[in-house]
Amino acid sequence: MGNELAELMRRSAGDGPSDQVDVGAVLTAGRRRVRRRRAAAAGGTAALVATALVAGSLLTVVAGGSGGPDAAERELEPVGRVLTLADARAGVPGEDFRVLTSLTNENLDQANGRYLSGVTDDGLVLVTDGPRTMRNETRIGLLDPAADEPAWLPGGPQQVSAPIALTEERLVFYGPGARSSGSPVLVFDRSEGTWTRLRWEGLPRAEVQAVDARGDRLYLALDTGGEIRQFDLWSVSLSDPGDVRNEQTVVGDFDITGDLLTFTATHNEPNDRVHVRDLASGEEWDFDPLSGDRCNQLGLQRIDDLLVLSQYCGTRDDVRDDRVQVVTDRGDPVVTVQGDGLEAGWTAGSVVLVESYDRDEGGAYAWDPGTGELVRLSDRISNFGLGGAVPAGSELLMWHTPLNRRHGAEQHLATWLD
């Protein structure tokens, strides 16, 4: 059986840890360091927006903009500081990072394996084994990095695909099949030890472009037949299947971290607007990230007050122009990592993870906002889209390297050392 779960999670026999690590302490200390490392950019290019309640719907009214150049006038070259992979220094285990646990699959071309698929908010590693059998069922467990084996969840193997949210209260997964609004979501209640399959009949039937979670709600970007590469944002309750809400917002890529909803104007085409909305207070602002009028917007992540934008800016002389652009959430440019065949990796806790498939400079890299350095974690990356998200504000990150002439892979979960 092919490595179906790994492919679903792309872009989206465990070895013991090197020493005893309190992951809870790592999470707490990481959040403290992130809060201390707030970006010190003055002013910024953001413009606040007003909101008006019109005919019962909350509409966003833009008051001004960034004041930057029009999209047609913007240059192709990135703004601000630019790094290439050649600027990276080799990372030093024990000084830059410490590996907490690793997991090896010798031949994923032959059969599905066991994977490290994310980290819960309380520091346990999600382990998924499968899918296996004709029913495509996956065994799911939680691993303390100090232990050799995960604690497998009750209820036996489940028909799940990728995880959506891994909190202290619940684990939320996509169900089997195509990702449409009519497909089920499976929820494991950690305190009760029970599984629930949820559907929301009030959602319009559409393909789910992306999904994120905030507390008891899931936010879904639905392709409901509107403008190409723009999606309608809806939200649903995880405790009440009748609680379905049209957020009256059109998004490209989006991210929810804490109370902040961040979204681009478009996906997979040039983007000249990033919006940030505080879901608690209702405050909203927007800015032009100055990505250029030839760069397709492909992905969005938030790390503290930094936004990470993945872009493809064309191919010239057989060389791809791929970029990972970092700006503050007020629009100030910070850094752009530029190269052939690179992209932002899974969201890390406090560093920007960059993956490169370049023949000469391929591997996993971490850009550290605290030092401004680009650090090389590995000199190769596997063929499989492995890994998962880690808690926001932690010092954790994940990457993967090839084994067995690229038929297999080894995953690594590490803590970044300030």
Side-chain angles (χ1 to χ4, degrees):
M1 183 183 297
N3 185 26
E4 299 161 19
L5 180 61
E7 289 306 313
L8 281 170
M9 294 183 61
R10 176 169 174 70
R11 292 292 251 189
S12 55
D15 296 333
S18 55
D19 48 27
Q20 299 295 311
V21 177
D22 184 346
V23 176
V26 170
L27 293 171
T28 302
R31 293 185 180 111
R32 286 200 301 268
R33 285 194 285 271
V34 168
R35 285 194 292 268
R36 290 200 301 265
R37 199 179 57 233
R38 303 292 295 182
T45 59
L48 290 177
V49 300
T51 58
L53 192 63
V54 180
S57 298
L58 187 64
L59 303 178
T60 300
V61 182
V62 178
S66 69
D70 293 337
E73 300 173 350
R74 289 179 294 173
E75 298 294 334
L76 180 61
E77 295 306 312
V79 297
R81 184 187 181 204
V82 179
L83 294 175
T84 68
L85 300 183
D87 296 316
R89 66 169 178 83
V92 180
E95 294 183 12
D96 296 304
F97 61 88
R98 182 170 68 250
V99 174
L100 304 179
T101 191
S102 298
L103 191 150
T104 298
N105 287 283
E106 287 292 337
N107 196 332
L108 291 172
D109 287 328
Q110 187 176 66
N112 284 318
R114 184 185 293 189
Y115 312 102
L116 305 180
S117 298
V119 180
T120 66
D121 287 348
D122 53 340
L124 298 178
V125 185
L126 178 72
V127 178
T128 54
D129 184 1
R132 304 184 189 278
T133 77
M134 295 296 292
R135 290 176 53 82
N136 284 330
E137 292 180 323
T138 299
R139 187 167 57 151
I140 303 164
L142 295 176
L143 173 70
D144 184 332
D148 293 328
E149 281 290 316
W152 299 107
L153 300 187
Q158 302 290 321
Q159 290 181 317
V160 301
S161 54
I164 297 172
L166 305 173
T167 70
E168 295 185 45
E169 294 79 24
R170 60 177 69 90
L171 311 177
V172 185
F173 298 85
Y174 284 108
R179 291 187 185 166
S180 73
S181 56
S183 300
V185 167
L186 275 72
V187 180
F188 179 76
D189 186 306
R190 294 179 62 181
S191 62
E192 299 291 333
T194 56
W195 288 92
T196 303
R197 181 181 293 252
L198 295 176
R199 280 189 174 91
W200 295 271
E201 297 300 327
L203 277 176
R205 290 297 177 259
E207 178 184 349
V208 177
Q209 171 69 19
V211 64
D212 211 336
R214 173 179 179 252
D216 187 53
R217 299 194 74 79
L218 293 186
Y219 288 75
L220 305 96
L222 301 183
D223 187 356
T224 53
E227 292 295 324
I228 297 175
R229 300 182 180 91
Q230 293 181 316
F231 312 99
D232 295 328
L233 189 65
W234 289 69
S235 71
V236 295
S237 169
L238 287 168
S239 57
D240 179 5
D243 184 352
V244 176
R245 188 166 69 213
N246 185 346
E247 296 294 332
Q248 302 292 331
T249 300
V250 176
V251 302
D253 297 307
F254 82 99
D255 173 275
I256 295 179
T257 300
D259 289 330
L260 295 177
L261 164 65
T262 307
F263 58 98
T264 62
T266 61
H267 168 75
N268 200 26
E269 62 183 18
N271 174 67
D272 65 357
R273 194 61 52 191
V274 173
H275 298 263
V276 182
R277 179 183 302 167
D278 189 319
L279 296 172
S281 69
E283 179 188 13
E284 184 169 338
W285 62 95
D286 72 286
F287 58 88
D288 184 343
L290 302 179
S291 303
D293 62 330
R294 302 182 188 177
C295 293
N296 283 1
Q297 165 65 35
L298 300 177
L300 168 68
Q301 302 174 11
R302 172 182 280 272
I303 298 177
D304 193 36
D305 55 1
L306 300 179
L307 305 180
V308 182
L309 305 171
S310 296
Q311 299 148 359
Y312 169 61
C313 302
T315 298
R316 290 175 295 281
D317 299 324
D318 295 325
V319 177
R320 288 177 58 96
D321 184 356
D322 296 302
R323 303 180 188 179
V324 175
Q325 181 188 14
V326 182
V327 299
T328 72
D329 67 0
R330 295 284 174 172
D332 300 289
V334 178
V335 70
T336 297
V337 183
Q338 185 177 23
D340 182 348
L342 62 80
E343 62 187 10
W346 285 99
T347 304
S350 61
V351 297
V352 177
L353 190 62
V354 177
E355 296 180 342
S356 170
Y357 296 86
D358 182 77
R359 178 175 298 178
D360 298 322
E361 297 178 313
Y365 296 76
W367 180 75
D368 186 343
T371 64
E373 288 187 303
L374 185 64
V375 178
R376 191 169 190 164
L377 305 172
S378 70
D379 58 4
R380 293 181 300 166
I381 195 165
S382 83
N383 296 344
F384 306 94
L386 304 177
V390 302
S394 72
E395 294 294 309
L396 300 174
L397 67 161
M398 299 178 71
W399 70 95
H400 49 99
T401 51
L403 287 176
N404 187 22
R405 292 182 288 185
R406 293 196 166 273
H407 293 297
E410 183 174 18
Q411 292 182 261
H412 313 275
L413 171 67
T415 180
W416 189 253
L417 303 175
D418 264 357

